[in-house]
Amino acid sequence: MSDFPTKARVVIIGGGVVGASSLYHLAKKGWTDCVLLEKNELTAGSTWHAAGNVPTFSMSWGIMNMQRYSTELYSGLADEVDYPMNYHVTGSIRLAHTKERMQEFERAMTMAKYQGIPMEMWTPEEAKEHYPFLEVHDLMGVLYDPTDGDIDPAQLTQALAKGARDMGQKILRFTPATGVTQHDDGTWSVHTDKGDIACDYVVNAAGYYAQRIGEWFKPFGGRTVPSMVMEHQYLLTEQIPEVEAWTKENGRKLPLIRDVDVSYYLRQEKAGYNLGPYEPNCQAHWHDDTDTMPEDFSFQLWQENLDRIEDIVVDAMDRVPLMQTSGVSSVINGPIPYAPDGNPLIGPMPGVTNAFEAHTFTFGIAQGGGAGKVLAEWIVDGHTEWDMWSVDPRRYTDYTDHDYCVAKGMEIYGHEYGMHFPWKRWPAGADKKLSPLHDKVKELGGQMGAYNGWERANWFAGPGDDTSLESTETWGRAGPWEQRIKEECEAVRDGVGVLDLPGFSRFTLRGEGSAEWLRTRIAGALPKTGRMNLAYFPDERGRILTEMSIIRHDEELFTLITAAGAQWHDWELLRHNLPKDTGLELTDDTLGTGTLIISGPKSRELLASLSDDADLSLGWLTRQTATVAGKPVLLLRVSFAGELGWEVHADNEDLPAIYDAVLAGGAKPFGMWALNALRLEKGYRAWKGDLSTDYSLFEGGLDRFVRLDKPQDFPGKAALQNEKQQGVKKRFVTLTVDAGDCDAPYMATLWNGDEVVGETTSGGWGYRINKSIALGMLRADLTEPGTEIEVEIYGERRKAVVQPDEPLWDPQNERIRA
């Protein structure tokens, strides 16, 4: 082929809406020498049979941003690229049958209004006025989104493709990629049956084929893509005269209905209906040896199975009786990929340099526009406008085996509209990574949660406590856990508590020049030998990439400890920036070591009874090696709980003996929910809530961890210098809240009168101060202590008071330094 491109800056594998959007957005950012490969025709995968709904609703801040952007893009795309599209902005109504659903809607509406989406809450009667064919007698309320609608997926993809081509990009249809090779300089060759394309970056945008394409990258550091494939079917009815008459009279389509408590959407399609159920009795596909994925499933469907959705169809006909007057004209049953949490994977490919992912979309049409923007930012800028951890492929690590992905995918699909309550642990996929103390912790009443696949106790149930799944289905604070969390916090306050904390991400850095290299990555200073400190890694904008505890064992020997969920993210942050051929050595030592947090005013007394060689007089932020219960440990004088305490780090095989001795010495086991309450009282930040790339270090109130006068340059130094001169527009604050039954969730809106002035980043009850606490970001002119504002919690505005810039509990840190 004379026009076959042999070089490109980026090669995208996959020609669905996301691949086309990625190509279009790369061109918008000035990278116009990119190529998209599609083995068939554009849209041949999930895109062609997609229903084409375009909602903005999400309980994820990042995904709502992404979907909102899609609606804004689509509204002007046809004119921009001169390609006609059927895009109907009909609005939608979500039906609420319960108080809890109403609270979910109120929270989503608050986030939406912050982003400029004018959602409204309607009474059932108001919904009836806008949708006369709707039965509303059993509803509590309705959420209305005027920006919702539907678009033709094929037209959308072709419009994005035309826009990309017009800017110089190349699209090769009927050109399947057959493999990839990475070269020593990090560049790639993408192989096709028509020749190779040399490129700087590769993108896996292969939809439900992404896992198969992902295997090509394993020789270069990749892993098996965490995804599976579900059957999704929807049916189209015959035309209905009343719908046609209403449309002619009103000049528009009926709003889309989502009955989320029953689990379906119902949309006007021409003068009939499109009914899309997410049935609990769902079906996975291509998930075992008897049902393998074909080489090419382009433009193909499966046989329908109406028996699976019969109950939902009957319910929809009761909700809109007009449906009963029409027959079914066709049923669409096609493949949709699912990740274990239902969110797509967009961003750097774990373990592989210069490779990216944009796949496993369950709502690819709604998210496609925003996904292309996010991916292009990742590739061109190295960061994204909004913090997108909710879709970052590195949020999953080594626990996402095939069985886990299938179990979680089916659970998510079967509860597509399920409410994700803060206390609820969805049961599928448990016990992937276990502490050596797991059985003992459960025997003591531990109610478990998963943290990067690691099972940790959230709280400890007592005799007779209700530990059913149903008991956790509340947004409120009250539940069987509340009294137990209080008791656990009081034990840490008054005596001594112990928390088994498996899965801390820990890395060892050694070699001549280690210290100097670290100084060029962090904003602050390194600890002295024998000590530890917190360090913050900024990006080029001065925003917060991550927080690590740095323990300095020797002049050029460090342990870096970070959150369990940050393991692959932080490993790559270090590994990708480590200079080559310098003798520096970085290893991941997460798996072999466990941690006990021992905290409380009696913790010194307890440890003294178990150790003959530990110097328990060493001060705050020191480290030492010692023995506890006869086992070698690393003792760190630090406490996230805000009391006198130590972290005890030991080999996994030694932990059972140490834990038994600590319990026998009088320590009370406590869980992650108690730890969260304790850290809020100290104002300690949590990663990817309070600490994210949405905020700079100065906005995050981390000034004391920034040294602009140090000689070393570091990412974001210039941006932070400029910000220091200009001043921040918003700043981290601690608030006490007149909260009622519910504490402030992540991204609850802060109000000053009728003006939005900030957002919460985390919240909960402080059992030592007996108050509700919210951490958040507030407009800088309102951060004076004593300032009264309001925080909107599930639709209720509650008074909040700005607190001094110090911990609410033990403000002088006398207890932790005792």
Side-chain angles (χ1 to χ4, degrees):
M1 293 178 61
S2 60
D3 60 346
F4 182 83
T6 58
K7 290 185 179 180
R9 192 175 295 192
V10 182
V11 171
I12 299 169
I13 301 172
V17 65
V18 174
S21 178
S22 299
L23 190 71
Y24 168 85
H25 281 90
L26 284 167
K28 294 288 280 188
K29 291 187 74 66
W31 286 27
T32 56
D33 51 350
C34 305
V35 172
L36 183 148
L37 300 176
E38 166 54 46
K39 66 182 176 183
N40 198 284
E41 180 58 85
L42 295 182
T43 77
S46 292
T47 299
W48 82 273
H49 64 76
N53 298 327
V54 189
T56 60
F57 180 97
S58 177
M59 296 301 284
S60 161
W61 181 259
I63 288 178
M64 181 180 279
N65 260 319
M66 197 164 66
Q67 294 178 172
R68 171 186 54 79
Y69 174 85
S70 290
T71 65
E72 295 167 356
L73 172 70
Y74 300 166
S75 65
L77 186 63
D79 290 338
E80 178 189 336
V81 303
D82 191 24
Y83 192 95
M85 288 192 302
N86 290 315
Y87 181 30
H88 307 106
V89 182
T90 61
S92 71
I93 52 178
R94 287 178 182 257
L95 313 182
H97 297 249
T98 65
K99 170 192 169 187
E100 289 76 20
R101 187 65 78 176
M102 289 287 286
Q103 289 175 294
E104 181 197 49
F105 287 176
E106 290 280 7
R107 185 184 174 204
M109 184 178 69
T110 301
M111 294 195 300
K113 285 186 173 179
Y114 198 149
Q115 292 193 17
I117 306 167
M119 291 185 185
E120 303 173 20
M121 293 297 295
W122 284 351
T123 65
E125 292 71 28
E126 287 174 316
K128 181 79 171 179
E129 291 174 9
H130 290 83
Y131 202 115
F133 312 122
L134 184 69
E135 290 295 317
V136 300
H137 62 279
D138 57 343
L139 301 178
M140 289 194 68
V142 168
L143 176 65
Y144 174 63
D145 178 3
T147 67
D148 208 330
D150 63 88
I151 197 167
D152 183 296
Q155 291 177 340
L156 170 61
T157 306
Q158 295 294 348
L160 290 164
K162 181 178 185 298
R165 287 191 187 102
D166 289 347
M167 289 183 279
Q169 308 284 53
K170 292 188 181 300
I171 297 175
L172 304 182
R173 299 171 301 136
F174 304 102
T175 308
T178 58
V180 297
T181 298
Q182 189 169 40
H183 308 292
D184 291 341
D185 62 357
T187 62
W188 295 91
S189 291
V190 179
H191 311 303
T192 80
D193 57 4
K194 299 175 182 176
D196 292 351
I197 304 175
C199 60
D200 297 324
Y201 304 97
V202 181
V203 178
N204 180 356
Y208 53 73
Y209 278 96
Q211 189 176 82
R212 179 170 289 178
I213 300 301
E215 296 298 298
W216 298 346
F217 293 87
K218 278 189 173 180
F220 313 107
R223 86 302 184 209
T224 297
V225 169
S227 68
M228 54 83 70
V229 176
M230 293 296 302
E231 280 191 18
H232 177 61
Q233 52 188 343
Y234 61 90
L235 60 87
L236 303 174
T237 73
E238 296 169 346
Q239 305 303 289
I240 302 172
E242 291 87 344
V243 171
E244 184 177 20
W246 189 94
T247 301
K248 286 183 178 178
E249 180 181 347
N250 291 274
R252 57 185 176 86
K253 291 169 66 174
L254 288 158
L256 185 149
I257 297 170
R258 287 187 181 83
D259 196 332
V260 289
D261 290 315
V262 181
S263 195
Y264 66 86
Y265 68 82
L266 184 66
R267 185 186 95 202
Q268 182 178 337
E269 185 73 25
K270 297 182 179 177
Y273 280 110
N274 174 334
L275 172 63
Y278 290 92
E279 68 271 24
N281 182 29
C282 53
Q283 177 65 53
H285 239 304
W286 302 333
H287 63 93
D288 60 34
D289 293 339
T290 66
D291 180 28
T292 57
M293 181 181 288
E295 281 300 317
D296 192 352
F297 199 69
S298 299
F299 296 112
Q300 296 184 56
L301 297 171
W302 291 304
Q303 182 67 35
E304 72 269 12
N305 186 340
L306 293 179
D307 290 343
R308 285 212 318 263
I309 61 175
E310 181 180 0
D311 291 346
I312 293 178
V313 173
V314 170
D315 191 280
M317 288 180 170
D318 290 340
R319 181 64 56 196
V320 181
L322 199 58
M323 281 190 67
Q324 300 173 21
T325 67
S326 176
V328 174
S329 66
S330 61
V331 178
I332 310 297
N333 185 16
I336 296 184
Y338 266 74
D341 62 2
N343 292 348
L345 281 73
I346 315 171
M349 185 182 293
V352 187
T353 55
N354 300 333
F356 292 82
E357 297 184 311
H359 57 69
T360 316
F361 286 80
T362 63
F363 297 100
I365 307 305
Q367 296 168 0
K373 165 186 158 65
V374 168
L375 183 77
E377 290 170 347
W378 263 125
I379 296 174
V380 177
D381 303 327
H383 55 251
T384 53
E385 177 184 355
W386 319 300
D387 188 281
M388 294 305 298
W389 181 245
S390 55
V391 300
D392 194 311
R394 297 167 295 183
R395 71 190 187 272
Y396 296 117
T397 63
D398 55 352
Y399 62 94
T400 56
D401 59 22
H402 178 73
D403 291 344
Y404 178 86
C405 290
V406 172
K408 294 302 287 186
M410 292 186 68
E411 181 179 65
I412 289 289
Y413 181 94
H415 301 86
E416 185 60 66
Y417 296 121
M419 289 178 277
H420 292 264
F421 298 104
W423 313 106
K424 183 172 181 175
R425 196 265 173 89
W426 293 85
D431 295 348
K432 298 309 294 184
K433 299 170 85 169
L434 303 181
S435 158
L437 308 177
H438 180 75
D439 291 343
K440 180 68 174 181
V441 168
K442 292 197 72 172
E443 178 187 318
L444 293 169
Q447 304 302 303
M448 312 306 286
Y451 298 79
N452 189 29
W454 289 96
E455 296 288 316
R456 296 176 180 173
N458 282 329
W459 64 289
F460 285 83
D465 284 347
D466 183 359
T467 59
S468 67
L469 196 66
E470 291 74 21
S471 72
T472 66
E473 293 176 343
T474 175
W475 304 107
R477 187 184 316 111
W481 53 83
E482 185 179 23
Q483 178 61 27
R484 302 306 175 206
I485 296 172
K486 181 176 185 290
E487 292 167 357
E488 293 169 22
C489 291
E490 289 171 346
V492 174
R493 180 194 68 190
D494 300 332
V496 59
V498 60
L499 171 63
D500 176 36
L501 198 71
F504 256 149
S505 303
R506 66 185 74 229
F507 315 115
T508 300
L509 177 68
R510 54 165 54 89
E512 187 69 28
S514 295
E516 186 61 20
W517 178 73
L518 275 175
R519 292 188 185 101
T520 68
R521 307 312 306 171
I522 64 173
L526 291 176
K528 296 177 181 179
T529 298
R531 297 186 62 83
M532 64 179 294
N533 66 5
L534 275 180
Y536 291 89
F537 292 71
D539 67 13
E540 294 295 339
R541 300 167 294 177
R543 297 190 184 183
I544 306 164
L545 278 173
T546 197
E547 167 196 83
M548 297 191 202
S549 294
I550 298 181
I551 301 126
R552 193 169 193 171
H553 306 288
D554 209 336
E555 190 66 22
E556 301 284 9
L557 177 60
F558 299 87
T559 295
L560 294 84
I561 297 181
T562 184
Q567 183 183 3
W568 281 9
H569 176 281
D570 286 3
W571 169 253
E572 299 206 338
L573 175 64
L574 297 169
R575 184 178 70 90
H576 285 333
N577 291 292
L578 199 68
K580 296 179 180 178
D581 303 323
T582 59
L584 299 189
E585 181 184 348
L586 180 71
T587 57
D588 186 336
D589 301 315
T590 299
L591 292 180
T593 305
T595 303
L596 299 180
I597 291 181
I598 299 176
S599 194
K602 296 181 180 179
S603 56
R604 179 179 281 121
E605 178 184 333
L606 171 61
L607 284 171
S609 72
L610 301 176
S611 178
D612 296 327
D613 57 353
D615 183 356
L616 300 174
S617 67
L618 290 179
W620 179 245
L621 300 180
T622 56
R623 53 80 67 203
Q624 63 179 301
T625 56
T627 57
V628 173
K631 304 296 182 182
V633 302
L634 173 67
L635 275 181
L636 303 181
R637 177 75 191 278
V638 67
S639 172
F640 201 53
E643 298 285 351
L644 174 69
W646 283 261
E647 288 180 4
V648 180
H649 298 256
D651 290 344
N652 283 333
E653 60 264 28
D654 293 333
L655 277 174
I658 299 171
Y659 192 62
D660 285 345
V662 169
L663 292 175
K668 179 180 178 65
F670 68 101
M672 295 299 292
W673 290 348
L675 183 65
N676 186 60
L678 295 163
R679 69 98 185 170
L680 285 170
E681 292 173 307
K682 296 296 292 183
Y684 294 158
R685 281 71 153 170
W687 189 66
K688 287 307 179 191
D690 315 297
L691 304 171
S692 81
T693 57
D694 282 332
Y695 309 116
S696 75
L697 272 70
F698 287 147
E699 288 175 331
L702 302 172
D703 307 49
R704 67 187 183 280
F705 297 100
V706 179
R707 290 200 174 179
L708 296 175
D709 58 350
K710 71 178 185 178
Q712 296 84 8
D713 196 12
F714 58 87
K717 187 175 185 178
L720 289 167
Q721 286 172 329
N722 181 64
E723 188 177 42
K724 190 172 183 66
Q725 293 172 354
Q726 301 295 325
V728 295
K729 296 180 180 179
K730 57 183 177 181
R731 193 165 182 87
F732 180 87
V733 291
T734 299
L735 306 166
T736 55
V737 185
D738 176 17
D741 296 333
C742 303
D743 299 307
Y746 175 66
M747 284 295 169
T749 302
L750 302 178
W751 295 87
N752 183 39
D754 291 328
E755 193 174 7
V756 174
V757 292
E759 69 274 0
T760 63
T761 52
S762 57
W765 191 265
Y767 291 91
R768 290 176 296 194
I769 67 168
N770 201 34
K771 292 180 181 178
S772 183
I773 303 164
L775 309 182
M777 292 290 173
L778 182 61
R779 204 175 69 195
D781 62 304
L782 296 171
T783 57
E784 186 70 24
T787 302
E788 293 187 6
I789 56 171
E790 290 180 307
V791 55
E792 188 168 350
I793 302 176
Y794 301 109
E796 290 187 54
R797 291 199 191 179
R798 312 292 299 198
K799 186 178 83 170
V801 181
V802 178
Q803 299 301 303
D805 186 16
E806 61 186 19
L808 296 172
W809 174 255
D810 186 27
Q812 302 306 312
N813 291 324
E814 295 170 350
R815 294 171 71 93
I816 62 175
R817 297 177 183 273

